[in-house]
Structures are given as structure tokens and as C-alpha cells.
Amino acid sequence: MKAAVLYEAFKPLVVEDLELERPKEHEVLVKLTASGVCHSDLHYMKGDREHPMPVVLGHEGAGIVEEIGPGVTYAQPGDHVVLSFVPTCGKCSYCVKGRQNLCEARYGLRGNMQDGTTRLRKGSQEIHHFNGLSTFGEYAVVPEDSLVKIREDAPLDRVALIGCGVPTGVGAVINTAKVRPGSSVVVIGTGGVGLNVVQGAVLAGAEAIIGVDIHGGKLEHALQFGATHLINAATEDVMEKVRDITRGEMADYAFEVIGSTEAIKQAMMTTKRGGTTVVVGVTPAGAELTIDPDFLHLDRVLMGCTYGSCYPRADMPMLIDLYMARRLKLDELISATFKIDDINTAFEALDQGEVARSIIRY
Ligand code: CND
Ligand code: ZN
Ligand code: ZN
């Protein structure tokens, strides 16, 4: 099968033919229809985070089950699925307490499948998996627990985005922060994930939704997704503008959706007493955040958030139902579609801030 391989950071992906072994116990072969291009993949390409290499990246995908390995009971060939970058075992202490996004199974992967070996190979060279998924290939062998079955009338290319950007952004608002109707919300970074924070805030009934970015085009997208106010951080004073918009009070909630410690601090500074800041962005390994703890004394909350604190098998079908009922935007998120041969162009467009989200269609 054709796949895009990252051999080392700071080098382009190499699109080439790889061998993919058949699924072993509790694994499934999926024929991918599309994969989203998320900034988390770019962090590894730019050396912000480390991972065993070579690796096939990609963690936002959907497709059709082609073959099931021994012991698989959840899915059958022909099932339409979204892939979850956190497998949920249903048995660990996190899963049984409803914190499936923190499932132990996530930590058994580390570049390989759960048995510590890889199904991907180029000749004699082993190629690593990414989060058990590796969606930048025409096919993927994934753990059974990473599958989320979905309704068959949902368009399989579009719902690939339900694999990361949508549950992360919408979930950060609904599940992590639990934004209340009538709130004021600041979203710093209105890219692929940030736009989903914006539409999550709309679903939650927020009153003021303030989109902050440094690219005018990104801010235009935010308006389309329901932002009520826009701030261009490249030319405007973010704190001052938030103060004006909130009539001097500052915001109830701020979301950092870039992966920058400066932006995390900026997000916190836009919150009022008792306000909540949620860090959605992934910062470079080793980054340090310094804040004046006095700021927290005033009942402010600083929260982390992985995968929008979601339960993939419950939240993803729900988000697809909302999309099918035209209550959630997906089509508008996809501003470009690429073939896998052009995947490096897709990442350049993401890096340059030219797209909301792009997808690779197989
Ligand atoms: P994308 O590149 O689409 O968006 C980032 C946005 O930030 C762009 O619109 C930029 O223009 C904007 N931006 C950059 N610098 C600034 C600045 N100084 N001030 C204001 N805006 C700025 O990235 P994405 O939406 O795909 O991902 C965003 C982050 O979310 C990234 O760090 C990614 O790794 C992370 C993420 C986290 C999780 C999770 O589970 N927590 C899941 N997926 C992605
Ligand atoms: Zn992602
Ligand atoms: Zn678990």
C-alpha cells in the first residue's frame, strides 16, 4: 500500500509503497477513505516532540473495515468506522470511571501495536505506528479498541475529522470546561481545532465568542463558525479588546489552541476572577510555563485537556448525528483536499496558515 513515512524530523515525508501485515489478535484491517491533516502530526515533523522513527503519522481518519483478526467481536468487514487515537479498553480504572480519553491502553502503544511489534515494513526495515493508527496510508491495521462504528449514511471523507479536531475542540468546551449558557469565551488560535472550540461554544449557548488569531483568513473562518467578535493578535491588543467586549469584566473561559506557552499566559490573562483557562494546544517537549500564582488565588482554574475529555464510542456517533442534522459544521472545515502524493504540500499549507483543515482523500 501507499503511505507517507517520516524518516526524520525536519525532512519531508516520503510517499512510498510499504508492506502491511494482516491483523493479529484483536486487530482490524481498515481501508481508509480520508485522513485529516492536524497540527499534532506537524509537531513531530518539526521536531517539537519525539517519536520512534521511521513512522507513518496521521491520527484523524475514517474508513471501512476490510478484515478482522482473531478474537475481534466489536466489528465486521463492511462496517463504517472512525478511528480513535486513544483505544478504550473498557476495563482499566480510567475507563470504568468514565475517563476513557485517559485509558491505560494508550500507553501500551508507543510506536508499535499493543504486543510491542509493528505491522508496517519497508523491505527488512520496521516502520512504526502512530497512536496505533497511522492514517497517512491507504490501509491501516489498528487495535479493535480504537474503532468507533458509525452510521452508514454519513460521508466517510468528511467524518474523518470526527477522529480528532471535532471531538477535541467541541469536547474541550462541553466536557472539559463545561461552558454554561450565556458565558463569554475567548478562543486563541482559530485553526482546525480552534474552529471546533468556536462551534462547541455555540452549541453550549455561549453569549460572546471571541476568536483570536494572527491570520485574517482564519478569523474569517471563525466568524463563519459562530464567533461573535474577532481579534487579530498581530495588530491588536488582545487584553484590551477582550476588556472592551466584556464591558470590563474579562471572559468566563479562555481556550489556548496553538501550543504556545505565551498564548497560554495570554489566555489566562483574558479570564475574569473565577474564570477557567483550558490548554488544548500541544506545547514543545520541555516547554515551561511561569505564572504568578496570585492570579490563581482568585478562584481561577487552569486545565489541561486531551481529546476533548471525550468517550470516543459515545461522543463521536453523537457528533456525527449533529452534523447530519446540520447542527455541526464539517463541510466548511475542509478548505482543501489533497492526494497522498501531495501530502507535503498539505503540511506546508497548514504551516503557512492557509487552510482551516485539509484532508487527504484515498
Ligand atoms: P492549526 O495550525 O490549524 O491552528 C493553529 C492556529 O493558531 C492557526 O490558525 C494559527 O494562525 C494560530 N496562531 C499561531 N500563532 C498564534 C498567535 N501567537 N496568536 C494567535 N493565533 C496564533 O493547528 P490545529 O488546530 O490542528 O492544532 C492546534 C493545536 O492543538 C496544536 O498544538 C495541536 O497539536 C493541538 C491538538 C491537541 C489535541 C488534544 O488532544 N489536546 C488534539 N489535536 C490537536
Ligand atoms: Zn489532532
Ligand atoms: Zn481503559
Side-chain angles (χ1 to χ4, degrees), residues 38-40 43 59 85 164 168 188-194 212-215 218 233 257-259 280-282 305-308 350 356-357:
C38 176
H39 212 115
S40 293
H43 285 314
H59 62 282
F85 70 77
C164 174
T168 298
I188 304 189
T190 57
V193 180
V212 182
D213 207 288
I214 47 173
H215 286 288
K218 301 283 193 164
V257 208
I258 304 166
V280 183
V282 173
C305 163
T306 187
Y307 224 164
L350 177 66
R357 197 58 143 198

Side-chain angles (χ1 to χ4, degrees), residues 32 55 65 75 90 92 98 114 147 181 183 193 217 228 239 290 313-314 317 341:
L32 288 158
V55 57
V65 172
C92 73
Q114 277 151 324
L147 297 180
S183 306
V193 180
T228 57
M239 285 255 304
T290 48
R313 284 186 180 171
D341 295 296

